Amino acid sequence: MLYLIGLGLGDAKDITVKGLEIVKHCRRVYLEAYTSVLTVGKEALEEFYGRELILADRETVEQEADNILKDADLCDVAFLVVGDPFGATTHSDLVLRAVKLGISYRVIHNASIMNAVGCCGLQLYNFGETVSVVFWTDTWKPESFFDKIQKNKQNGMHTLCLLDIKVKEQSLENLMKGKKIYESPRYMTVNQAAEQLLAIVQNRRLQGEEPEVTESTLCVGLARVGAMDQKIASGTLQQLSTVELGGPLHSMIIAGNMHPLEIDMLKLFAVDESSFEDNECQRNT
């Protein structure tokens, strides 16, 4: 059988008891290593689980999935995913491949950023479509995710922004030359995401628009959710462009309409509590 096992968000001990029991008896155990990361490395996981882990990067999962599934109809194979197994569509593809090959599968769920963001006090059922904010380059500065944020905002909904991760990425030059030389890992921070959003706000104004999201829109920055050194900061988009929350992983929320209880919770993490007393915050309620 193929087991897809969620590892949670913090460290090695966040795996469920059920998941750990399965890991210990599987013949092969893969660790998916590109859609997210834990605060500890592969070695710490191996020590706690008592098993050797096989790193599965993007190339392995997307182009060599058959190797992962090899003999999974004859023995147990585990595929470990930070967060919950279905936090990324890549893992749905793995399930579909397994079913096509006649391999049974089982999912062991765990906490994901998709529900753990409730730690900031915003109510989960008030969230709209989740968006991904990608790193811009000198020649590629997409803004499509901003339109989804604005649509959520118009509907009074909060937006969870998943910030870009670059792991085992090749430069354009090395890619064109066929050289398997990889760039150092990069993880987008809350202030980087806020800076890109502010740039889009300015671009839209230059195009004659008055965007729903502005410099004074209330936002939340989250870092290392689920870890002992988790950090949360709430404030305006402008304020979050200067906030420093430390190491990865970071996420960001653009707030929609807020219940007074949500506002009171966000004040616990305020960069400046006066941000919650301006006109926009009053309109949000």
Side-chain angles (χ1 to χ4, degrees), residues 259-270:
H259 185 277
L261 185 63
E262 291 180 292
I263 294 176
D264 286 343
M265 283 294 293
L266 288 192
K267 284 181 179 179
L268 298 177
F269 314 109

Side-chain angles (χ1 to χ4, degrees), residues 20-240:
L20 183 57
E21 288 175 346
I22 292 169
V23 165
K24 286 182 177 294
H25 78 242
C26 282
R27 183 173 298 179
R28 297 195 311 278
V29 183
Y30 292 90
L31 174 62
E32 191 262 73
Y34 70 92
T35 59
S36 190
V37 294
L38 288 176
T39 56
V40 296
K42 171 175 172 279
E43 294 75 17
L45 298 181
E46 289 179 326
E47 182 179 354
F48 186 73
Y49 302 158
R51 292 299 312 275
E52 179 184 351
L53 304 181
I54 305 167
L55 280 181
D57 57 22
R58 182 188 296 272
E59 189 175 296
T60 302
V61 178
E62 295 184 350
Q63 299 176 27
E64 303 171 19
D66 289 344
N67 290 336
I68 296 172
L69 297 173
K70 185 178 179 182
D71 298 329
D73 55 336
L74 304 174
C75 64
D76 289 330
V77 175
F79 186 77
L80 310 183
V81 181
V82 175
D84 187 82
F86 288 117
T89 53
T90 298
H91 311 130
S92 297
D93 178 68
L94 192 60
V95 166
L96 292 172
R97 288 172 179 268
V99 171
K100 189 174 181 180
L101 293 170
I103 297 168
S104 299
Y105 74 94
R106 185 180 174 195
V107 180
I108 310 299
H109 293 285
N110 209 320
S112 162
I113 191 63
M114 302 292 284
N115 62 345
V117 291
C119 65
C120 72
L122 294 179
Q123 296 165 6
L124 292 177
Y125 47 77
N126 289 336
F127 278 77
E129 183 177 357
T130 297
V131 306
S132 295
V133 181
V134 298
F135 277 114
W136 280 355
T137 68
D138 292 338
T139 57
W140 187 63
K141 297 184 178 181
E143 298 185 5
S144 56
F145 62 87
F146 188 77
D147 297 320
K148 294 179 181 179
I149 294 172
Q150 294 220 106
K151 184 176 179 181
N152 285 341
K153 184 79 170 161
Q154 289 166 356
N155 292 330
M157 310 299 284
H158 312 313
T159 305
L160 170 61
C161 301
L162 303 178
L163 308 189
D164 204 2
I165 297 173
K166 296 291 187 187
V167 178
K168 206 175 180 183
E169 296 278 336
Q170 291 176 271
S171 67
L172 182 59
E173 181 182 357
N174 287 327
L175 193 61
M176 292 177 68
K177 291 180 177 178
K179 294 182 178 178
K180 294 211 176 233
I181 300 173
Y182 301 101
E183 305 285 291
S184 299
R186 290 191 297 148
Y187 306 95
M188 182 179 287
T189 62
V190 165
N191 56 309
Q192 287 174 320
E195 286 171 0
Q196 289 189 186
L197 285 166
L198 288 170
I200 294 173
V201 169
Q202 291 298 325
N203 289 344
R204 296 300 172 95
R205 288 197 181 119
L206 290 173
Q207 295 167 19
E209 299 179 29
E210 186 48 51
E212 291 280 335
V213 176
T214 69
E215 293 86 349
S216 60
T217 295
L218 284 170
C219 303
V220 186
L222 306 101
R224 301 171 304 284
V225 172
M228 291 296 292
D229 62 345
Q230 167 181 302
K231 283 192 177 180
I232 303 173
S234 61
T236 66
L237 181 59
Q238 187 69 57
Q239 287 170 336
L240 290 194

